[in-house]
Amino acid sequence: MRRRDFVTLSAGLIAAPALLTGRRAQANTTSANEPVDIELALAVDVSRSVDAEEQELQFRGYAAAFRDQRLIDGISRGAIGAIAVSFFTWSDWNVQELLVPWMRIDGAATAEAFAGAIDAAPRRTHLYTSISAAIDFAATLFGQGFEGTRQVVDISGDGVNNSGRPLAEARAAALDRGIVLNGLAVLDRTPPPSQFAALNPPLDEYYRDQVIGGPGAFLMVAEGFDAFENAVRRKIIREIALNPPPGPLVERAFA
């Protein structure tokens, strides 16, 4: 090999890592997550204990919350003035469906777009209730396009964990990552037969003691599905508050 060719080749080999580094730096800059005040994953129970009418009340409740001016005003008061929200349904250990991927909400127009996406989402019902799998699935969603000062999972449901791995394991794994778990327990106006009711603690106590966790975590209790819209609106307004003041561990909403 002639010396001139060797020098040219050597220069190219030396330059290649620098070029690759530059490309990586550019890629990292391009893919950097956008800062928001909070990343909020909304997890909605669609197990068989939730009938079609009750499922519709849940979907409409979330959509109505994002059309509420009080919620939009709360977003605007954040340090950044924007939040990222996703919406998924859950049931069996292997059934989680991301119906509305992460969306940035910074005002009435984007809030309406999110509400409209919920309105248009399919309604499907499955069998069992795996809160643990819902938590595990939600944990995989964070950090995808957005970086919030807080990462919160908002779990709504009307039953206890009866599918998937132990709830305590999933809860502990999420808390170790700094994820906050809030709950929205929906109390059924029609109580189960006494022989079944005795098998589990009251749902509000179950969510309080075994589901929620993390700094500032709290439980909203909807006294029946008719109270769901009021409950979810109050809950999300509290979740997105800038430096939320200490509030009750458990709040109750009525129709």
Side-chain angles (χ1 to χ4, degrees), residues 9 13 17 23 26 46 65 79-80 104 125 133 138 142 149 157 177 203 211 219 225 233 236 240:
L9 177 61
L13 292 174
R23 287 175 178 169
Q26 183 179 9
V46 292
I80 297 172
R104 183 180 188 273
T125 300
F142 292 111
T149 56
R177 290 183 50 181
L203 188 67
V211 177
L219 169 65
F225 278 94
R233 182 184 66 249
I236 296 176
I240 66 174

Side-chain angles (χ1 to χ4, degrees), residues 39-88:
E39 295 168 77
L40 179 61
L42 304 176
V44 182
D45 181 3
V46 292
S47 61
R48 62 183 170 185
S49 61
V50 180
D51 64 30
E53 181 182 359
E54 292 168 340
Q55 184 177 150
E56 190 62 29
L57 286 170
Q58 289 189 93
F59 277 58
R60 288 182 182 177
Y62 278 107
F66 283 89
R67 292 185 170 107
D68 193 296
Q69 189 60 45
R70 288 166 290 186
L71 189 148
I72 296 167
D73 291 343
I75 294 172
S76 67
R77 287 193 291 269
I80 297 172
I83 66 174
V85 189
S86 61
F87 181 95
F88 73 92

Side-chain angles (χ1 to χ4, degrees), residues 2-255:
R2 290 178 298 178
R3 183 176 184 279
R4 184 175 63 185
D5 294 338
F6 177 78
V7 170
T8 301
L9 177 61
S10 299
L13 292 174
I14 294 172
L19 179 61
L20 181 59
T21 301
R23 287 175 178 169
R24 284 176 178 166
Q26 183 179 9
N28 289 338
T29 301
T30 302
S31 63
N33 289 331
E34 182 178 0
V36 290
D37 289 310
I38 182 175
E39 295 168 77
L40 179 61
L42 304 176
V44 182
D45 181 3
V46 292
S47 61
R48 62 183 170 185
S49 61
V50 180
D51 64 30
E53 181 182 359
E54 292 168 340
Q55 184 177 150
E56 190 62 29
L57 286 170
Q58 289 189 93
F59 277 58
R60 288 182 182 177
Y62 278 107
F66 283 89
R67 292 185 170 107
D68 193 296
Q69 189 60 45
R70 288 166 290 186
L71 189 148
I72 296 167
D73 291 343
I75 294 172
S76 67
R77 287 193 291 269
I80 297 172
I83 66 174
V85 189
S86 61
F87 181 95
F88 73 92
T89 54
W90 58 273
S91 180
D92 308 62
W93 67 270
N94 60 338
V95 176
Q96 302 87 36
E97 188 172 9
L98 183 60
L99 297 181
V100 185
W102 290 110
M103 292 181 63
R104 183 180 188 273
I105 301 178
D106 59 2
T110 48
E112 174 58 37
F114 186 79
I118 295 175
D119 287 339
R123 276 65 163 159
R124 285 186 267 268
T125 300
H126 299 277
L127 295 177
Y128 298 107
T129 304
S130 184
I131 302 173
S132 58
I135 292 173
D136 288 338
F137 179 79
T140 68
L141 298 177
F142 292 111
Q144 298 185 20
F146 297 97
E147 181 178 358
T149 56
R150 290 174 291 148
Q151 295 178 333
V152 178
V153 183
D154 183 333
I155 307 166
S156 67
D158 74 340
V160 302
N161 197 76
N162 58 27
S163 172
R165 70 166 172 158
L167 174 57
E169 293 180 4
R171 179 180 182 272
L175 297 182
D176 285 346
R177 290 183 50 181
I179 296 170
V180 175
L181 303 175
N182 290 334
L184 202 171
V186 186
L187 302 187
D188 194 338
R189 293 290 189 177
T190 305
S194 58
Q195 65 268 30
F196 295 114
L199 298 176
N200 294 300
L203 188 67
D204 48 355
E205 295 179 11
Y206 179 84
Y207 262 70
R208 180 195 66 198
D209 299 336
Q210 301 186 45
V211 177
I212 69 172
F218 69 100
L219 169 65
M220 181 69 70
V221 178
E223 296 284 348
F225 278 94
D226 289 342
F228 191 88
E229 181 176 329
N230 183 30
V232 73
R233 182 184 66 249
R234 286 170 50 188
K235 186 169 187 289
I236 296 176
I237 288 174
R238 178 171 168 181
E239 285 169 330
I240 66 174
L242 177 65
N243 298 322
L249 181 65
V250 178
E251 290 189 48
R252 295 183 182 274
F254 299 87

